Amino acid sequence: NFKISIDIQCNHNAHPYDGQYYNIFHVTKGENYGSFGDRIFAVWQHPNERGKLRVVFNKSGSSPFFVRSLNLECTDLQWNTYSVTQRVLQSNTSKTRTYMKKDGTQIAWEEMPTSTANSLTNEQVKVYLANPWGPTATGYNVRNFFIERLD
């Protein structure tokens, strides 16, 4: 069980909307994509739509991405808190649910076998403020990042 949280200040004029994903934040247990755990939680400037962020979090399933992707509205120069929480279900401990929230409001969730989910928490993760695999979103501000292990 864990929670990852970060505040991001949106900037509609940070980069051109040229089809490129400008990375703001990325938590991985491995690489950019292709394996389960590569995108535990990540945020990019949307490549083509002004005022949107592409937010992804991990799910079990098929390759190459193993993620749930969301295109979320953001107001220019406004701060928002984005978080991912993974918890074993008390009603069925063989299942784990991962929740995505924006400003404390749940906006999506994914469920997976607990044995699969445990592979995310049994290894160290890498945290990037702008990952090394693509263009960096230098015009965005971030603050209040944390990873918390939950009981």
Side-chain angles (χ1 to χ4, degrees), residues 2-91:
F2 66 83
K3 179 178 181 178
I4 304 170
S5 182
I6 191 168
D7 295 347
I8 299 172
Q9 185 183 38
C10 196
N11 184 343
H12 292 187
N13 300 310
H15 303 282
Y17 291 83
D18 57 4
Q20 295 218 50
Y21 285 92
Y22 292 88
N23 183 256
I24 300 168
F25 168 76
H26 192 131
V27 177
T28 178
K29 73 169 197 166
E31 298 298 324
N32 183 21
Y33 69 90
S35 297
F36 180 70
D38 284 347
R39 293 185 176 178
I40 295 172
F41 184 22
V43 181
W44 291 266
Q45 173 183 283
H46 193 282
N48 301 311
E49 296 183 47
R50 185 175 301 279
K52 287 192 178 179
L53 298 177
R54 171 67 59 93
V55 180
V56 302
F57 65 99
N58 215 79
K59 72 173 186 175
S60 62
S62 59
S63 68
F65 297 110
F66 299 98
V67 295
R68 171 86 182 265
S69 297
L70 305 165
N71 296 320
L72 302 179
E73 300 280 338
C74 65
T75 302
D76 195 30
L77 303 180
Q78 179 176 314
W79 286 95
N80 296 104
T81 301
Y82 300 89
S83 65
V84 168
T85 303
Q86 179 177 292
R87 287 195 172 274
V88 174
L89 297 178
Q90 290 181 345
S91 61

Side-chain angles (χ1 to χ4, degrees), residues 84-116:
V84 168
T85 303
Q86 179 177 292
R87 287 195 172 274
V88 174
L89 297 178
Q90 290 181 345
S91 61
N92 181 356
T93 57
S94 70
K95 298 283 184 185
T96 294
R97 193 168 285 169
T98 304
Y99 303 91
M100 165 63 68
K101 293 183 179 182
K102 178 181 176 185
D103 296 328
T105 300
Q106 182 180 310
I107 53 176
W109 60 272
E110 288 289 333
E111 199 169 280
M112 67 184 81
T114 297
S115 58
T116 303

Side-chain angles (χ1 to χ4, degrees), residues 114-130:
T114 297
S115 58
T116 303
N118 284 345
S119 71
L120 294 178
T121 57
N122 292 340
E123 297 182 34
Q124 291 185 348
V125 297
K126 300 173 191 172
V127 178
Y128 295 99
L129 295 176

